[in-house]
Amino acid sequence: MEGKQVKEDMEARLLEGGVRPTAMRLLISKFMLQQDTAVALTDIENAFAKVERTTIYRTIKTFEEKGIVHQIDDGTGIQKYALCEKGCKCDIARDLHLHFHCRNCNQTVCLTNYKLPHINLPQGYSAEDISLVVTGICKKCGL
Amino acid sequence: MEGKQVKEDMEARLLEGGVRPTAMRLLISKFMLQQDTAVALTDIENAFAKVERTTIYRTIKTFEEKGIVHQIDDGTGIQKYALCEKGCKCDIARDLHLHFHCRNCNQTVCLTNYKLPHINLPQGYSAEDISLVVTGICKKCGL
DNA sequence: TTAAGTATGCACTTCCATTGCATTGGATGA
DNA sequence: TCATCCAATGCAATGGAAGTGCATACTTAA
Ligand SMILES: [Mn+2]
Ligand SMILES: [Mn+2]
Ligand SMILES: [Zn+2]
Ligand SMILES: [Zn+2]
């Protein structure tokens, strides 16, 4: 019954975002909900051998457009994604947060409690998005 | 004669870094010195049609290992590079700086005067490298 | 029930990073 | 000067991942 609750929550969330909650989309979004790290397309592909890569690709892109997930560029050159938090508008000051990439386990996590510091820029520059990624050794991999 | 000075400077810099200053390496490093934005492999390739892509690739990698250039991941998925400043050890607190990527002109610049703010991490995490990239509209592209 | 619009599946392309191996060139010592 | 060795360069090929075009299946609403 807990699983059902999760499912309904996710369904509601997709609907809120204006995304039709198809089987595929529920499958993928629920998978992401279970992860405690950011996922790459390939991760999802491996988790569901049956599902077409393109479908996953387009699903994620749809999620991204509708503000259901955010993309993370952790420096590996591979795009990662994570679910946005409830009420997230990807606002620089309120929602954007630090990401940590572990060079040992190669995993990337959202540190949603660590918001971005205020950045000031030279005259004439305007900020629309900010990426702050720390690379090092994560909690699990540290001795 | 100024050009010659630059050449000698660059040559000295390569030698300091333990890199033999071959013609190719001087060519590429001097090219980078002239740029006011970070460059991709392809940029160098286009600038010198004669030069093999692989050679550029390996040259840049050598430079990176020896601390002559630093790599920048600006979120485009294409690796960019820029010369390190004199005396740079890529130390987090002292040397690392903000990078700005303009979504209009698609160029990325080092804001070397804008050092990284101090980042604190959750217990158990250790930082070895930090990337802070702001995306938006640059000085030139803003009205 | 049908028609229109979405979502999904499949094939294919493109772009860039990366590697293996052949060849060249420059420093060094006989 | 010449032979030799190692590093640098060139050439060809690979591989991974993002992205696109088009055919097909599914939903929804008239
Ligand atoms: Mn995140
Ligand atoms: Mn820089
Ligand atoms: Zn780790
Ligand atoms: Zn610009």
Side-chain angles (χ1 to χ4, degrees):
Chain A
M1 58 187 81
E2 199 189 87
K4 187 168 186 185
Q5 184 57 44
V6 166
K7 179 183 172 183
E8 285 172 0
D9 282 357
M10 210 56 242
E11 195 165 330
R13 196 151 153 195
L14 295 186
L15 286 170
E16 275 174 44
V19 175
R20 248 164 56 185
T22 67
M24 203 82 295
R25 289 166 174 176
L26 284 169
L27 189 72
I28 294 176
S29 58
K30 280 166 61 185
F31 171 74
M32 294 186 72
L33 195 56
Q34 290 163 6
Q35 309 306 310
D36 54 356
T37 63
V39 298
L41 233 75
T42 309
D43 296 329
I44 305 177
E45 198 184 5
N46 292 339
F48 307 105
K50 310 273 182 160
V51 184
E52 244 311 287
R53 183 183 186 80
T54 316
T55 303
I56 302 170
Y57 172 77
R58 286 199 253 238
T59 299
I60 287 280
K61 285 300 174 191
T62 301
F63 285 177
E64 194 186 1
E65 280 166 20
K66 299 307 174 68
I68 292 165
V69 305
H70 59 282
Q71 197 199 65
I72 302 154
D73 184 339
D74 62 9
T76 59
I78 295 170
Q79 295 175 209
K80 307 272 174 72
Y81 301 87
L83 282 176
C84 286
E85 299 223 280
K86 204 74 178 151
C88 170
K89 296 278 180 293
C90 287
D91 176 74
I92 291 182
R94 278 190 354 127
D95 300 313
L96 297 194
H97 48 265
L98 179 56
H99 289 115
F100 187 92
H101 172 72
C102 176
R103 69 165 165 81
N104 183 245
C105 63
N106 197 33
Q107 300 214 311
T108 299
V109 293
C110 292
L111 298 178
T112 48
N113 291 328
Y114 291 72
K115 302 302 181 195
L116 296 189
H118 176 260
I119 310 283
N120 63 329
L121 291 170
Q123 190 65 24
Y125 289 78
S126 69
E128 294 173 354
D129 194 17
I130 302 181
S131 162
L132 175 55
V133 179
V134 178
T135 302
I137 296 294
C138 78
K139 200 171 183 169
K140 291 175 196 152
C141 293
L143 55 153
Chain B
M1 60 187 75
E2 200 187 86
K4 187 169 185 184
Q5 184 58 43
V6 166
K7 179 183 172 185
E8 284 172 1
D9 283 357
M10 211 56 239
E11 195 166 329
R13 196 152 154 195
L14 295 186
L15 286 170
E16 276 174 44
V19 176
R20 247 167 52 188
T22 67
M24 204 82 294
R25 287 168 176 175
L26 284 170
L27 190 72
I28 294 176
S29 56
K30 279 165 61 185
F31 172 75
M32 293 185 72
L33 194 56
Q34 289 162 6
Q35 310 306 310
D36 54 354
T37 63
V39 298
L41 232 77
T42 309
D43 296 329
I44 306 178
E45 200 184 4
N46 291 339
F48 308 104
K50 311 273 182 156
V51 185
E52 245 311 288
R53 183 182 185 82
T54 317
T55 303
I56 302 170
Y57 172 76
R58 285 198 256 240
T59 299
I60 286 280
K61 284 301 175 190
T62 301
F63 285 176
E64 194 187 1
E65 281 166 19
K66 299 307 174 66
I68 293 165
V69 306
H70 60 281
Q71 197 199 66
I72 302 154
D73 184 339
D74 62 9
T76 58
I78 294 170
Q79 297 176 207
K80 308 270 175 73
Y81 300 87
L83 283 176
C84 287
E85 299 223 281
K86 204 73 181 153
C88 169
K89 297 278 180 293
C90 287
D91 177 74
I92 291 181
R94 279 191 353 130
D95 300 314
L96 296 195
H97 49 264
L98 179 57
H99 289 116
F100 187 92
H101 174 71
C102 176
R103 69 165 166 78
N104 184 246
C105 63
N106 196 33
Q107 301 214 310
T108 300
V109 293
C110 293
L111 298 178
T112 48
N113 291 327
Y114 292 73
K115 302 302 181 195
L116 297 189
H118 176 261
I119 310 284
N120 63 328
L121 292 170
Q123 190 66 24
Y125 289 78
S126 69
E128 295 173 354
D129 193 17
I130 302 180
S131 162
L132 176 55
V133 179
V134 179
T135 301
I137 298 293
C138 79
K139 200 171 183 170
K140 290 175 199 156
C141 295
L143 56 152

